[in-house]
Amino acid sequence: MCGFIGYINGTHPINHKQVIENMMNTIIHRGPDSGGIHADDKVTLGFRRLSILDLSDVANQPLYSEDGNIVLVFNGEIYNFMSIRKELEAKGYHFKTNSDSEVLLHGYAEYGFELVHKLRGMFAFCIWDQKNDLQFIARDGFGIKPLYYTQNTTDETIIFGSEIKSFLPHPSFIKELNKDALRPYLTFQYSAMDETFFKGVYKLPPGHFMVIKNRKIQQITKYWDKKYSASKGSIEETIANIRETVAESVKAHQISDVKVGSFLSGGIDSSYIAALLKPDKSFSVGFSDYEAMFNETHHAKELSDILGIQNERKYVSAEECFDALPKIQWHMDEPQSNPSSVPLYFLSELARKDVTVVLSGEGADEIFGGYEWYKPSAKMQKYEQIPLGLRKVIAGVVEALPKNAYTNFLKKGAQTIEERFIGEAVVWDEQDALDVLKPDYKKGPSVHDITKRVYAEVPNEDDVTKMQYLDLSLWLPGDILLKADKMSMAHSIELRVPFLDKEVMEMAKKIPTEHRVNDIDTKYALRQAALEELPEEWAKRKKLGFPVPIRHWFREERYYNLIKEAFTAEYAKEFFDTDKLVSYLDAHYAGDKNYARYIWTAYVFLVWYKCFFIDDNKWTTLKGTSHDEVASTTHN
């Protein structure tokens, strides 16, 4: 696990080694163990290393082919690197390291762009092919590892790398807010477009590679997708396939030359991974003063005792969370208001005291159908027996009535799944978001502008599969995986996700819909498979998520005043009707309504904006050469 930054040299003369050094310093938390630079007259590359496999200096990056013509910077892990290595050795290639990185070098020399089809892992990399004068840049199929790029520069420089913040020290980079990003963010709670909150900075989509030649992006190509192709089979066959494939994935994901632990909540996903891994230690986080309401750590401790694992726990206070929020948003690069980012930050900090690698349960809900959204209510199923035309008439009638649970139900009952479901996260009602935004920020795409392109890829699937595919395409890489990467890397720790494995997905694609979600349960087949490793209480426990007591915090005078100060700040008036923002805060503080998510999402954006556009000099450069020095600079 590491981080890299690179650029195609522009037309302005600059000191490339000094510039890339400054850029590397902003992501030193991703790789505190060592750094390396490649600079020539066309391309400049910088790398920060967190040593996981082959801890020797010979595995440091940038890594070069034997003839020096191919240069690699790579972030992630290739879990099938040994089988690829044997294949390449049989073809006459010689390896000087025991790392997975070298497989990419020789693999590209042998297979070219087809290399990506062979890889099983989480990765983002750049290969500089000097002989053919091209850059080959790729990202894993799920988007576990982030990868950004931009041409928004003053001199044709093209910049790419693991984190946007590393673009900022480049003298040609044009730092500008993308006004179109705020509108969809308020509803989604994360940056849902390919273009980020920085104008002209894009995310390379998961499962895509990019080729740059002659300072031009020549192609962006999709090489793998996650579309389901369910086949018929018994539930017994499905359960057996899940058990075998997930167990093998956990085995592959535990390969490491450093200590490996496990994040553990009380839910089935992380519990199943921990039960298969059986690490020495598991790690859990709860909240001070809310142990009875927002706490799964007792479940984690109980399961750890059953499995014979030592469980390390931490209880986080509201004060700690609010104090850390600017640092969290700085690490996130873009505003991200999923409240679970906060405990994940502290969970990673806790784990880093004992291990360098952790396994976690992300992805099981999206792949196996775990969200309650996916399971239609009995009432809705019954209502949908009424002809659609009549339901639309009823929806038209109630449109003029005040919003409540009944009118919402009747309106949803007249909608297709494409109209009704925009993803796992829904925060601001879209009309409420438009009402609170200033005119310049209402011009961004609607949520349906964003979701319709995904739905268009699976027009003939059933509703459950359509919802899963949407979440796999938007919510998973945009929210779940981004915060997992950024919060773990903030503390120089590698987070691995065995459910999000190429072989697991290929198996899961074939699972019949009724084995994923049915009238009995969500994630039905996975729960049955987990019974072999877990007590029934854990295998069948309903999903709780990672609840954070923000609605209670906002009713404390201290935090009410803190947020009101942000909502009424002069810079907030650029984006929001601040009187309306404060009215939501006041109504919540008085206990009249629960507007916690509205408040948090707007507040997080303002915290992020202040970090990057007002207090940016404070965050631009972070220095340090060891993990302890990085931690003291980044986290104090």
Side-chain angles (χ1 to χ4, degrees):
M1 181 71 68
C2 311
F4 66 84
I5 176 65
Y7 57 89
I8 315 302
N9 299 345
T11 56
H12 294 168
I14 60 174
N15 184 335
H16 292 295
K17 288 190 176 181
Q18 184 59 60
V19 168
I20 199 70
E21 187 76 42
N22 292 341
M23 298 171 86
M24 290 164 60
N25 282 339
T26 65
I27 57 167
I28 201 167
H29 49 277
R30 296 191 75 93
D33 295 331
S34 67
I37 293 172
H38 169 87
D40 59 40
D41 60 349
K42 291 185 177 180
V43 174
T44 306
L45 302 171
F47 180 78
R48 294 299 322 182
R49 185 185 185 197
L50 178 64
S51 303
I52 303 294
L53 289 172
D54 189 347
L55 308 184
S56 67
D57 290 345
V58 73
N60 288 345
Q61 297 181 39
L63 206 59
Y64 295 83
S65 59
E66 289 180 290
D67 62 6
N69 282 324
I70 302 174
V71 189
L72 169 76
V73 285
F74 156 58
N75 168 31
E77 303 289 348
I78 307 300
Y79 299 118
N80 63 334
F81 79 97
M82 287 303 298
S83 63
I84 300 174
R85 175 174 176 145
K86 289 177 182 178
E87 186 177 299
L88 290 168
E89 285 175 331
K91 293 177 180 291
Y93 289 90
H94 300 285
F95 287 77
K96 64 181 180 181
T97 77
N98 293 315
S99 72
D100 53 343
S101 308
E102 199 172 3
V103 162
L104 297 177
L105 272 180
H106 296 319
Y108 172 74
E110 179 65 25
Y111 307 114
F113 301 159
E114 293 299 307
L115 169 65
V116 290
H117 296 290
K118 291 183 169 290
L119 302 179
R120 176 187 182 186
M122 55 179 187
F123 56 84
F125 63 76
C126 171
I127 289 175
W128 167 214
D129 182 344
Q130 299 181 85
K131 183 178 179 181
N132 293 302
D133 194 18
L134 65 83
Q135 296 77 40
F136 174 46
I137 299 173
R139 189 180 183 198
D140 69 74
F142 291 101
I144 303 169
K145 295 291 98 193
L147 184 53
Y148 305 94
Y149 68 95
T150 188
Q151 300 177 83
N152 192 22
T153 57
T154 59
D155 67 343
E156 300 181 32
T157 297
I158 300 177
I159 309 174
F160 48 85
S162 303
E163 299 192 9
I164 301 172
K165 65 179 66 66
S166 61
F167 295 11
L168 303 183
H170 195 288
S172 297
F173 176 62
I174 302 170
K175 188 180 75 168
E176 183 180 354
L177 182 70
N178 176 15
K179 293 182 177 181
D180 290 344
L182 183 54
R183 176 187 173 184
Y185 158 79
L186 289 179
T187 297
F188 282 114
Q189 83 176 4
Y190 60 92
S191 176
M193 306 190 304
D194 287 339
E195 187 176 14
T196 69
F197 266 82
F198 291 88
K199 189 172 180 62
V201 177
Y202 293 85
K203 293 168 271 194
L204 183 65
H208 283 66
F209 69 80
M210 177 168 67
V211 178
I212 304 174
K213 194 173 178 67
N214 298 323
R215 285 206 198 104
K216 302 291 183 184
I217 296 177
Q218 191 177 73
Q219 67 181 98
I220 296 178
T221 302
K222 186 175 186 177
Y223 67 86
W224 186 69
D225 67 46
K226 301 169 284 294
K227 293 178 183 175
Y228 286 84
S229 53
S231 59
K232 293 183 179 180
S234 68
I235 185 63
E236 290 77 17
E237 289 173 323
T238 297
I239 292 168
N241 288 337
I242 292 174
R243 285 173 175 166
E244 179 182 353
T245 310
V246 173
E248 193 277 330
S249 179
V250 170
K251 185 176 180 180
H253 280 69
Q254 69 187 71
I255 298 173
S256 172
D257 292 330
V258 294
K259 288 183 179 181
V260 179
S262 183
F263 285 167
L264 184 58
S265 69
I268 175 182
D269 304 334
S270 62
S271 297
Y272 194 13
I273 298 301
L276 289 167
L277 179 65
K278 291 186 174 60
D280 292 334
K281 288 189 176 184
S282 65
F283 305 92
S284 311
V285 162
F287 291 95
S288 301
D289 304 321
Y290 293 94
E291 290 88 348
M293 299 171 61
F294 297 89
N295 181 25
E296 284 192 295
T297 61
H298 60 282
H299 294 311
K301 176 63 167 65
E302 189 177 346
L303 181 63
S304 294
D305 289 343
I306 293 170
L307 297 175
I309 300 169
Q310 183 178 342
N311 179 244
E312 299 289 342
R313 289 178 286 175
K314 175 181 175 63
Y315 291 97
V316 186
S317 69
E319 182 178 11
E320 288 177 292
C321 292
F322 277 92
D323 286 348
L325 190 59
K327 286 178 280 188
I328 289 171
Q329 292 307 310
W330 181 82
H331 278 290
M332 287 300 307
D333 277 334
E334 298 187 80
Q336 206 268 15
S337 68
N338 187 331
S340 66
S341 298
V342 177
L344 184 55
Y345 176 86
F346 289 101
L347 183 61
S348 299
E349 181 181 54
L350 174 67
R352 190 58 175 88
K353 296 175 182 177
D354 294 297
V355 299
T356 310
V357 175
V358 289
L359 269 57
S360 190
E362 278 87 353
D365 289 312
E366 292 78 11
I367 288 180
F368 294 105
Y371 294 119
E372 287 300 318
W373 285 98
Y374 301 157
K375 185 180 179 182
S377 68
K379 288 181 180 179
M380 184 61 76
Q381 286 178 311
K382 185 174 291 187
Y383 185 58
E384 287 178 342
Q385 293 175 10
I386 297 173
L388 179 60
L390 181 55
R391 281 182 275 138
K392 286 187 176 293
V393 170
I394 296 170
V397 172
V398 302
E399 185 68 39
L401 300 177
K403 289 181 182 180
N404 56 48
Y406 301 105
T407 58
N408 287 340
F409 174 84
L410 292 171
K411 283 188 283 188
K412 285 184 177 181
Q415 296 173 329
T416 64
I417 201 65
E418 289 87 347
E419 296 169 319
R420 189 163 72 221
F421 184 76
I422 67 163
E424 170 58 21
V426 181
V427 182
W428 280 73
D429 174 86
E430 195 162 20
Q431 188 56 55
D432 288 347
L434 288 171
D435 289 344
V436 81
L437 286 170
K438 290 292 183 70
D440 281 353
Y441 297 89
K442 295 181 179 184
K443 300 172 184 176
S446 71
V447 293
H448 290 293
D449 288 337
I450 293 170
T451 60
K452 68 181 179 183
R453 63 180 174 83
V454 181
Y455 278 127
E457 297 179 30
V458 286
N460 300 317
E461 295 291 348
D462 59 76
D463 284 356
V464 169
T465 302
K466 285 179 179 180
M467 288 189 284
Q468 286 185 254
Y469 189 72
L470 186 75
D471 278 340
L472 281 164
S473 301
L474 295 179
W475 161 252
L476 185 67
D479 186 298
I480 298 295
L481 292 177
L482 195 67
K483 75 176 190 289
D485 173 85
K486 298 294 180 68
M487 295 300 90
S488 58
M489 289 274 52
H491 298 282
S492 307
I493 191 169
E494 174 169 291
L495 188 149
R496 298 179 180 178
V497 281
F499 285 121
L500 296 176
D501 174 75
K502 185 178 181 180
E503 297 303 318
V504 173
M505 187 71 229
E506 292 297 338
M507 175 274 300
K509 286 178 180 179
K510 299 179 176 62
I511 296 177
T513 305
E514 62 271 19
H515 295 173
R516 289 179 256 137
V517 181
N518 55 38
D519 291 338
I520 301 172
D521 215 336
T522 58
K523 217 157 38 184
Y524 179 74
L526 181 68
R527 294 182 189 280
Q528 297 301 308
L531 285 170
E532 187 174 67
E533 302 291 338
L534 294 173
E536 185 173 1
E537 180 184 351
W538 274 266
K540 295 188 176 182
R541 182 175 289 125
K542 293 295 181 184
K543 183 174 182 60
L544 182 60
F546 214 149
V548 181
I550 56 173
R551 71 175 187 267
H552 299 285
W553 294 342
F554 299 161
R555 288 175 176 145
E556 295 181 28
E557 183 177 5
R558 175 182 179 181
Y559 301 113
Y560 165 83
N561 289 333
L562 180 69
I563 294 169
K564 187 172 183 178
E565 182 181 358
F567 282 3
T568 56
E570 194 62 32
Y571 66 88
K573 297 174 184 176
E574 162 71 15
F575 313 105
F576 300 113
D577 179 332
T578 54
D579 289 339
K580 287 184 180 178
L581 270 189
V582 172
S583 71
Y584 284 118
L585 179 63
D586 287 343
H588 183 89
Y589 183 65
D592 298 334
K593 293 275 190 175
N594 179 7
Y595 286 124
R597 297 301 303 279
Y598 274 31
I599 295 164
W600 184 250
T601 301
Y603 179 63
V604 162
F605 167 75
L606 293 172
V607 169
W608 170 84
Y609 181 81
K610 190 170 186 290
C611 280
F612 281 96
F613 288 88
I614 296 177
D615 299 337
D616 57 327
N617 289 335
K618 175 181 177 182
W619 305 97
T620 297
T621 303
L622 299 176
K623 298 183 182 294
T625 56
S626 70
H627 172 72
D628 290 339
E629 289 172 323
V630 173
S632 66
T633 306
T634 310
H635 312 307
N636 292 331

